[in-house]
Amino acid sequence: KEPKDPAVIFGVDAYAAAAMAQKWADSSIDASGRKLRKDGSCLLAGVISFPDGRSDEEWKAFRDDAVEYLKNKYGENLKSVIEHTDEDYNHIHFYSVPKYGQKFDEIHDGKRAVLEAKKENSKVLKGEQNKAYIEAMKEFQEDFYNEVAIKHGMTKTGPKRERLTREEWKARKEYALKQSEEIKNISLLKDQAVQTGKKEGFDYSVEQSKGWGWIAKIGAKYKYYTDGFKKKLEEKDEEIGVVENQRNEHKKKHKAFKKEYYSQKKETEKAVEEKKEKSKEVYFLNNENKELKKNNDILEVENLSLREENKELQQYKITSKKMRDRFPDEYKAMEAEINKPRPKGESYNPEPKAQELSIQQEEDRTNQYRKRPRM
């Protein structure tokens, strides 16, 4: 077939519907206040096709009934219906978008069934969820068949599904077409019966009112209009009741959302305060750590100084031991001098004795060199 531009037969085009879905996704949040995931569902899309070999008038009748079915099913959520007639099978694409504050699962038959299953049992198994999903989608197809497809001579399944021969399949299609004609005739007879009943009722009322005076006629006319007005009021009351129920549901959802929001806010503030306290503790610990490092540096300096002094003491001990072994008499005399009792207030001054000892050591060393025999 020659390519043709898609025709918008309801709402906006597909690009505008996708933009609406993206806008809804950007503003959508769950019960915990979290945004919708990047791979979350936001646009419901579907295709309804028509068999080949049928007339354009039959296609248009089927298309219009299908669009009316979609309007009744999705209401304000239905944003776009696009017609394609340049392919092997005439078909329409439809797109639905959730309202603001509405979940995507609420407009999708399969996902809604899973959501209801989870509400009944929060621990429902994945297999049971899949089963509920499949059953809901089958019911959706069954409902469309009974409301639309059967009226236009379409079968529910193809020949391969039931393993029918060509003759059996041809007979099945002819039966479906005859059935659709009967349904159309029944609908036509129903409409004719309603119109006939209205006309007969009107004629009967005219015959009955021929002998009435003008006051009686005005009373009858007044009663006719008041009865119709009462009926309209009752219908409006029912619509108002539906709106009030929806409003109450929205109030409940808003209240639950508000409660969850403030709960999350309280937890967030508590977490922030805990982080602040931890930050204070870290600040004080850092200051204490700096002070400990400073004291540690001072102790290391003192330790190095003590090590140097220790080295000097060790060297002094080694030197003292050598001197004591070499000059035992002089050391004994010096120790006796040091340990000698003294009057109160008098202290030992080792400087003069040390000088005498040093001079005596030099003289002895000189004498030793002089006594050595020459080679």
Side-chain angles (χ1 to χ4, degrees):
K1 293 184 179 182
E2 295 181 1
K4 297 180 182 179
D5 292 333
V8 179
I9 58 176
F10 176 80
V12 298
D13 60 24
Y15 295 103
M20 292 178 184
Q22 184 62 50
K23 193 173 181 180
W24 173 84
D26 293 338
S27 63
S28 179
I29 56 175
D30 60 12
S32 301
R34 294 172 295 188
K35 286 189 175 183
L36 185 71
R37 288 174 48 176
K38 290 184 178 180
D39 60 348
S41 301
C42 61
L43 178 66
L44 185 147
V47 180
I48 300 175
S49 61
F50 193 66
D52 192 16
R54 308 283 287 273
S55 65
D56 291 340
E57 289 74 16
E58 289 177 314
W59 156 244
K60 290 177 181 178
F62 171 77
R63 178 200 65 189
D64 294 341
D65 286 349
V67 173
E68 195 64 29
Y69 172 82
L70 294 172
K71 288 179 183 178
N72 294 331
K73 181 174 179 60
Y74 296 108
E76 295 179 2
N77 297 116
L78 184 65
K79 301 299 181 185
S80 174
V81 180
I82 312 296
E83 179 185 25
H84 287 257
T85 58
D86 58 346
E87 299 179 28
D88 293 336
Y89 296 92
N90 293 342
H91 61 276
I92 57 174
H93 295 263
F94 64 91
Y95 303 96
S96 295
V97 179
K99 300 175 186 177
Y100 292 108
Q102 187 179 26
K103 292 182 179 180
F104 179 82
D105 296 356
E106 295 176 13
I107 69 170
H108 189 284
D109 293 79
K111 291 181 178 291
R112 182 170 62 247
V114 174
L115 186 66
E116 291 173 356
K118 288 181 179 179
K119 285 181 180 179
E120 293 177 2
N121 181 11
S122 59
K123 297 181 180 180
V124 62
L125 299 176
K126 191 67 177 178
E128 295 295 326
Q129 295 180 26
N130 293 336
K131 186 177 179 181
Y133 182 96
I134 294 170
E135 288 298 324
M137 297 307 292
K138 285 182 178 179
E139 289 177 5
F140 170 44
Q141 292 178 326
E142 183 75 18
D143 184 60
F144 179 80
Y145 174 75
N146 293 328
E147 294 294 328
V148 180
I150 195 173
K151 298 177 183 178
H152 296 273
M154 299 174 70
T155 59
K156 190 185 300 185
T157 58
K160 292 183 180 179
R161 175 65 64 85
E162 299 184 30
R163 297 182 179 180
L164 302 176
T165 63
R166 184 176 181 82
E167 290 74 15
E168 290 173 338
W169 172 238
K170 188 176 179 181
R172 175 70 63 82
K173 287 198 296 183
E174 290 176 356
Y175 174 75
L177 288 171
K178 289 180 181 179
Q179 191 177 20
S180 67
E181 290 297 328
E182 291 177 1
I183 292 171
K184 288 178 183 178
N185 292 332
I186 291 170
S187 298
L188 184 61
L189 290 172
K190 183 179 178 182
D191 293 337
Q192 290 176 353
V194 171
Q195 294 298 327
T196 303
K198 286 182 179 179
K199 187 176 183 305
E200 290 178 355
F202 178 76
D203 293 340
Y204 176 76
S205 299
V206 170
E207 290 294 330
Q208 290 292 321
S209 64
K210 283 182 178 179
W212 294 356
W214 65 273
I215 296 176
K217 290 181 179 179
I218 291 173
K221 193 173 183 180
Y222 174 76
K223 186 176 184 302
Y224 171 77
Y225 282 111
T226 52
D227 290 343
F229 185 68
K230 286 180 180 179
K231 187 176 181 181
K232 289 182 179 179
L233 283 177
E234 290 175 357
E235 292 176 353
K236 288 293 181 183
D237 288 338
E238 291 179 359
E239 292 178 2
I240 291 170
V242 172
V243 173
E244 286 181 349
N245 291 334
Q246 292 177 350
R247 185 184 64 183
N248 292 332
E249 288 294 326
H250 283 299
K251 281 184 178 180
K252 288 179 181 179
K253 290 181 180 179
H254 176 71
K255 189 175 180 181
F257 173 76
K258 190 175 180 181
K259 183 178 179 182
E260 185 68 22
Y261 168 76
Y262 282 110
S263 176
Q264 292 287 337
K265 184 179 179 183
K266 189 175 180 181
E267 291 180 2
T268 303
E269 290 175 351
K270 185 179 178 182
V272 169
E273 290 296 327
E274 290 178 355
K275 286 185 177 179
K276 285 182 179 179
E277 292 296 327
K278 288 182 179 179
S279 298
K280 288 180 181 178
E281 292 178 5
V282 171
Y283 174 77
F284 288 122
L285 288 172
N286 286 336
N287 288 339
E288 188 176 352
N289 189 29
K290 288 179 182 178
E291 191 67 27
L292 289 172
K293 284 183 177 179
K294 186 177 178 181
N295 294 335
N296 188 40
D297 293 339
I298 294 171
L299 291 173
E300 284 184 356
V301 172
E302 292 180 356
N303 188 28
L304 289 173
S305 178
L306 290 171
R307 284 182 180 179
E308 291 297 327
E309 291 181 3
N310 188 34
K311 286 181 181 179
E312 291 178 0
L313 288 172
Q314 292 294 332
Q315 190 65 29
Y316 175 75
K317 286 182 179 180
I318 292 170
T319 306
S320 299
K321 187 174 182 301
K322 289 181 179 179
M323 295 296 288
R324 185 170 60 248
D325 293 340
R326 191 169 181 180
F327 306 103
D329 296 334
E330 288 80 357
Y331 256 84
K332 286 180 181 179
M334 186 175 64
E335 288 177 355
E337 181 66 22
I338 291 170
N339 297 327
K340 183 176 68 174
R342 292 179 177 79
K344 189 174 181 181
E346 184 180 348
S347 61
Y348 170 69
N349 185 9
E351 289 299 327
K353 294 293 182 182
Q355 291 177 359
E356 291 178 3
L357 180 60
S358 178
I359 292 169
Q360 182 64 38
Q361 290 173 353
E362 287 296 329
E363 289 179 353
D364 293 342
R365 192 178 293 110
T366 303
N367 293 331
Q368 286 180 0
Y369 281 112
R370 287 176 179 174
K371 290 180 182 181
R372 286 181 182 177
R374 293 184 180 179
M375 299 299 293

